[in-house]
Amino acid sequence: FPGAIPRVPRHSWPPCSGPGSRSGAAWVFANTGGGWEFAAKLRPPDASAGIRFGTSVSVRGDRVAVGAPEDSSVAASSGSVFVFRFGGHSWALEDKLVAPETSVGAQFGWSVALDDNSVIGGAPGDPAHGRNTGSAHVFRLDGGKWIPDAKLTAADGLGGDFFGWSVSLDGTRALVGAWGAFGASAYEG
């Protein structure tokens, strides 16, 4: 039907079975001047089944951020973002970020973007203003630790917006996509 809103199932993943099944991975490649070469395979340290580690990825300098939106370490499918840092010879986990205000099905880490000292993770399933309204959480690096900086939501957000489906970060600007939002609006700050 023209103008109809597509129905997207919240969980359209194939079922998991066995320990570590569909826990996920992220591969790091480096351009050495002679072409792109495999550098490392990153995995979540706990390798819990079905966390979907690698759903989203971002790299900035010697850091990478990897989303795991089905991580249930706080609440079922509340999600997380893992930050790794290259130490000259290997990649090591720097921190595991979880949204300070989270809920069942928030799926923090569905999208992720990394800048010099900040990371943003989308949580499109967050019920901020109704089911699947969505949110995005910004963390900043302070004294070697990642700390929560802000929770971003749409002022006019409604259930089904999926705010946080996509994110981008550049310095002091964050861009958050919400594919389910209605209407045409332009905002400038």
Side-chain angles (χ1 to χ4, degrees):
F1 298 101
I5 305 297
R7 295 194 68 174
V8 178
R10 190 170 104 15
H11 296 288
S12 57
W13 315 93
C16 299
S17 61
S21 177
R22 299 205 201 297
S23 59
W27 285 260
V28 179
F29 291 85
N31 189 333
T32 60
W36 290 94
E37 295 181 12
F38 170 78
K41 181 178 180 180
L42 305 176
R43 302 202 31 106
D46 54 6
S48 299
I51 69 169
R52 312 305 195 236
F53 178 90
T55 295
S56 57
V57 295
S58 183
V59 61
R60 180 68 172 213
D62 62 354
R63 283 193 175 90
V64 296
V66 182
E70 292 294 316
D71 185 357
S72 297
S73 59
V74 175
S77 300
S78 57
S80 63
V81 172
F82 293 81
V83 180
F84 292 84
R85 188 166 189 188
F86 185 69
H89 299 290
S90 63
W91 291 89
L93 179 65
E94 186 172 60
D95 207 347
K96 176 182 175 178
L97 311 178
V98 293
E101 299 174 30
T102 193
S103 61
V104 171
Q107 296 183 310
F108 172 65
W110 180 271
S111 56
V112 66
L114 183 63
D115 200 10
D116 293 327
N117 294 314
S118 299
V119 66
I120 186 172
D126 186 347
H129 303 290
R131 186 170 182 220
N132 298 323
T133 303
S135 65
H137 298 267
V138 180
F139 289 76
R140 66 181 163 85
L141 191 60
D142 185 11
K145 296 192 183 284
W146 289 96
I147 60 171
D149 193 34
K151 178 178 181 177
L152 309 178
T153 59
D156 59 350
L158 299 171
D161 282 355
F162 295 98
F163 183 88
W165 189 269
S166 56
V167 294
S168 185
L169 189 61
D170 184 23
T172 59
R173 286 195 168 83
L175 181 63
V176 181
W179 70 265
F182 289 103
S185 298
Y187 297 96
E188 189 171 323

